[in-house]
Amino acid sequence: MTMLTIGVVKEATPGEHRVALVPGEIGKLGAAGVAVLVETGAGAGAWFPDDAYAKAGAEIVTADELCVQADLIVSVAGPTAEMTSRLRPGQAFLGTLTPLENPGLVCELARRGVTAISFDGLPRTVSRAQSMDALTSQSNVAGYKAVLVAANAFGRYFPMLITAAGTARPARVFVLGAGVAGLQAIGTARRLGAVVSAYDVRPQAHEDVKSLGADFVDVGAALAVDGGAGRAVDGAGEGGYARALSAAEQRAQQEALAAHVARADVIITTAQVPGRPPPLLVTEEAVKAMGPGSVIVDLAASRFGGNVALSRPGETIVTENGVTIVGAENLPATVPTAASAGYSRNVAALLLHMVRGGRLVIDPADEIQAGVLVTHDGRITRPALADPRPDGPNS
Ligand code: NAD
């Protein structure tokens, strides 16, 4: 059988401890005609040493050897500028490329004739794609870790404790955004004994929140600003995601949430709208109304903004009124073994879907491939990403 050779890189981003493929997945790829090269030390940050990969049947190579020999390079993030400059026509790259945020990278990959495959576009509601859903596996880790980060920064207990030294009331945790990360945060905070409430702009999230034993904070009616006469606003968009709210709806939402924010001891925010900056849910005014010792963990904090007015990615600040705001950045990388194991299963499932007879078979007519394929044959394959410039790769 022909063998497709894939290469597992050592991630280059500072603080990135995950690895795209763990030794446990190599056997099933081998059976499908996939040979695996692993860059020296690629799994060390997630506690998968080189000899575990070698025992599983992989060949340990240098970064240079990997770039030259691999037909397809697998990674957690996108390629570094240095690696991009070495990719050759016909070579493929699989990762989480965040193409909407990195249009320059997408153009360059197309220009170089690289087949770029990214998990971001996976159709998540297609049931056969669920085992490939890296956004879900990593959001689950982020939601779990966000609660631990909050508990660590919080000066009190999460559970109610009755001891000889007195009774401690449970922490009130408020989760904003009840998608994958938010639901995992709700479950984790409940397991730690907190009293949990949550809010999401998609009405469908109501049932999910209730099923985890948390209260749903319903401010839908307050958002009906454009003559809605108290009718609850539906914030659902396409593909199970939320839509971007109008400026007036956003203001109404911030005002309606402020009273709930002020009552919370701990807030975890996870709200995202694909291709847009994260919505601002907690204003500076709302933070000022919180009690000293309260904690906010903003999972949406990024260079594009966040859900909380004062949060900065990778930074923890304490406001004048004693609120700790953690701008959480790449939390999955801080639980690297579990996050890598999940991501690796997603990588293997997607590859097994795309590899036939030991070859990577690109089929844009396939619903899953149409979602994950970003560039192929010198072109940008997703219309939303196509470069409109006259000299762009699709011109
Ligand atoms: P996401 O990361 O895009 O956003 C997180 C949450 O923020 C979402 O629940 C969204 O509704 C919410 N949000 C956005 N704007 C908001 C605002 N202004 N106010 C309050 N909340 C706001 O979403 P995700 O976690 O990746 O999940 C996206 C969708 O995909 C969800 O509907 C989820 O249930 C669905 N999903 C389905 C499957 C499946 O069917 N197997 C798997 C994974 C995810």
Side-chain angles (χ1 to χ4, degrees):
M1 196 187 336
T2 9
M3 288 294 258
L4 175 81
T5 301
I6 68 166
V8 182
V9 290
K10 183 171 167 56
E11 299 295 322
T13 313
E16 182 53 82
H17 302 298
R18 291 171 292 175
V19 60
L21 197 72
V22 305
E25 300 298 320
I26 290 173
K28 62 172 106 146
L29 289 175
V34 177
V36 179
L37 307 175
V38 176
E39 183 179 341
T40 312
W47 308 106
F48 297 105
D50 286 352
D51 60 355
Y53 284 98
K55 266 194 208 121
E59 189 183 338
I60 310 301
V61 296
T62 64
D64 287 345
E65 288 165 336
L66 185 139
C67 265
V68 172
Q69 294 173 33
D71 303 311
L72 181 152
I73 295 175
V74 295
S75 167
V76 173
T80 58
E82 206 264 318
M83 173 163 281
T84 304
S85 70
R86 299 173 65 185
L87 295 173
R88 60 176 183 274
Q91 207 168 21
F93 193 98
L94 165 62
T96 308
L97 276 60
T98 55
L100 288 169
E101 294 160 26
N102 294 300
L105 170 68
V106 173
C107 286
E108 182 57 14
L109 291 170
R111 205 186 59 76
R112 303 188 77 82
V114 172
T115 296
I117 304 162
S118 178
F119 282 112
D120 313 72
L122 191 86
R124 301 174 74 192
T125 45
V126 172
S127 58
R128 65 199 172 97
Q130 280 176 20
S131 58
M132 310 165 195
D133 191 345
L135 296 188
T136 289
S137 69
Q138 303 310 292
S139 290
N140 263 319
V141 180
Y144 161 80
K145 186 64 187 273
V147 175
L148 303 190
V149 168
N152 197 36
F154 190 49
R156 296 200 282 108
Y157 295 117
F158 266 34
M160 181 169 92
L161 281 187
I162 303 171
T163 72
T167 298
R169 71 165 172 82
R172 287 176 303 236
V173 174
F174 186 25
V175 176
L176 294 172
V180 178
L183 293 175
Q184 185 59 249
I186 293 169
T188 306
R190 293 254 309 143
R191 284 193 287 277
L192 276 182
V195 172
V196 184
S197 57
Y199 164 69
D200 196 290
V201 77
R202 288 179 300 112
Q204 294 88 327
H206 196 135
E207 277 310 305
D208 297 336
V209 167
K210 293 295 247 187
S211 72
L212 290 172
D215 285 330
F216 189 80
V217 171
D218 196 348
V219 300
L223 270 59
V225 286
D226 301 323
R231 237 179 327 110
V233 161
D234 186 346
E238 284 174 14
Y241 291 105
R243 67 172 171 85
L245 299 183
S246 69
E249 285 173 334
Q250 269 192 52
R251 267 194 309 280
Q253 184 183 49
Q254 291 160 0
E255 281 164 21
L257 287 174
H260 301 276
V261 166
R263 279 197 290 276
D265 299 311
V266 171
I267 294 182
I268 293 170
T269 62
T270 74
Q272 297 280 2
V273 178
R276 300 291 191 116
L280 180 66
L281 304 179
V282 181
T283 60
E284 207 171 329
E285 281 302 299
V287 173
K288 279 190 185 142
M290 294 181 78
S294 311
V295 173
I296 303 177
V297 175
D298 185 2
L299 270 186
S302 76
R303 65 191 162 103
F304 301 105
N307 294 152
V308 182
L310 302 165
S311 69
R312 298 281 169 273
E315 288 180 27
T316 297
I317 61 157
V318 181
T319 64
E320 273 178 22
N321 60 320
V323 179
T324 301
I325 303 177
V326 182
E329 201 181 33
N330 199 4
L331 287 184
T334 67
V335 194
T337 312
S340 301
Y343 191 89
S344 179
R345 275 191 290 275
N346 305 137
V347 166
L350 181 57
L351 287 181
L352 292 176
H353 176 70
M354 297 180 74
V355 172
R356 276 162 240 155
R359 287 179 48 238
L360 187 67
V361 178
I362 300 298
D363 176 10
D366 171 71
E367 189 181 13
I368 293 174
Q369 290 210 31
V372 295
L373 210 57
V374 178
T375 64
H376 182 56
D377 262 350
R379 296 179 70 80
I380 297 173
T381 55
R382 272 207 242 145
L385 300 170
D387 185 352
R389 289 174 302 181
D391 58 347
N394 281 12
S395 61

